[in-house]
Amino acid sequence: MRKREIFVRSSFNYDMDAASNESALKCEDDSLAIQSAEEESNINTIVRRFGLTGELPNDVKVPQSGDFSNLPDFHTAMNLVRKTQEEFLRIPADLRARFNNDPQSFMAFIEDESNREEARRLGLLKVIPVVEPTLVKVVSEPAQNS
């Protein structure tokens, strides 16, 4: 009976490139990356533009820091998001379409003070009637003698 020898690889006793090619994935499909965006997505281009203009690309979100200790737990936050989406779906479809069916666009519209009149016209805000204060005249009654 013949004994099998165990081959232990080291950096000196085998061809690393050949072993890599045998075990590696070969991605020979056409790339799905948008090749026309190569220049604008290059980090060197982004940094160079920032150096010239002082502005980051529009889609870069600046990190925020602050005291967020008053935020609810995850479950409460998700329930709030779900309830907000349900309330948004109660709005007529034509109005939702006006905001691209996006609750965030809707909220941005409502929160903008310059849109208040249009929001009232669309029926999104309740018209609060102005109640004129009535004047009350206080009359003191004369004291009665007993």
Side-chain angles (χ1 to χ4, degrees):
M1 190 180 233
R2 186 173 163 213
K3 277 187 166 181
R4 280 189 68 185
E5 289 186 31
I6 298 175
F7 178 72
V8 178
R9 290 182 178 174
S10 73
S11 57
F12 303 108
N13 64 357
Y14 78 104
D15 184 3
M16 288 189 277
D17 289 334
S20 179
N21 288 337
E22 290 174 11
S23 61
L25 291 174
K26 293 185 181 178
C27 299
E28 296 174 350
D29 296 340
D30 290 336
S31 173
L32 298 178
I34 301 171
Q35 298 301 318
S36 61
E38 177 186 8
E39 176 66 23
E40 66 193 43
S41 61
N42 185 333
I43 188 65
N44 297 316
T45 303
I46 294 170
V47 171
R48 185 173 6 91
R49 286 182 187 161
F50 179 75
L52 294 173
T53 64
E55 295 180 5
L56 288 171
N58 294 337
D59 57 349
V60 175
K61 302 286 185 200
V62 178
Q64 296 180 356
S65 63
D67 179 16
F68 300 108
S69 58
N70 62 346
L71 292 178
D73 62 302
F74 178 76
H75 182 70
T76 306
M78 291 307 295
N79 284 339
L80 182 61
V81 169
R82 184 185 51 76
K83 184 176 181 188
T84 303
Q85 288 172 337
E86 288 174 0
E87 290 296 321
F88 181 69
L89 291 175
R90 292 178 61 201
I91 298 173
D94 58 332
L95 284 177
R96 287 195 317 264
R98 184 179 190 279
F99 301 105
N100 297 321
N101 291 310
D102 181 20
Q104 186 173 358
S105 298
F106 172 74
M107 289 306 297
F109 174 80
I110 292 295
E111 290 170 353
D112 187 357
E113 290 292 328
S114 63
N115 295 329
R116 291 286 184 202
E117 191 58 40
E118 185 178 358
R120 280 191 193 92
R121 186 177 52 77
L122 293 171
L124 297 172
L125 295 177
K126 292 181 181 178
V127 177
I128 301 172
V130 177
V131 178
E132 298 275 336
T134 56
L135 214 52
V136 176
K137 190 174 185 182
V138 177
V139 178
S140 60
E141 296 195 18
Q144 294 181 357
N145 293 338
S146 325

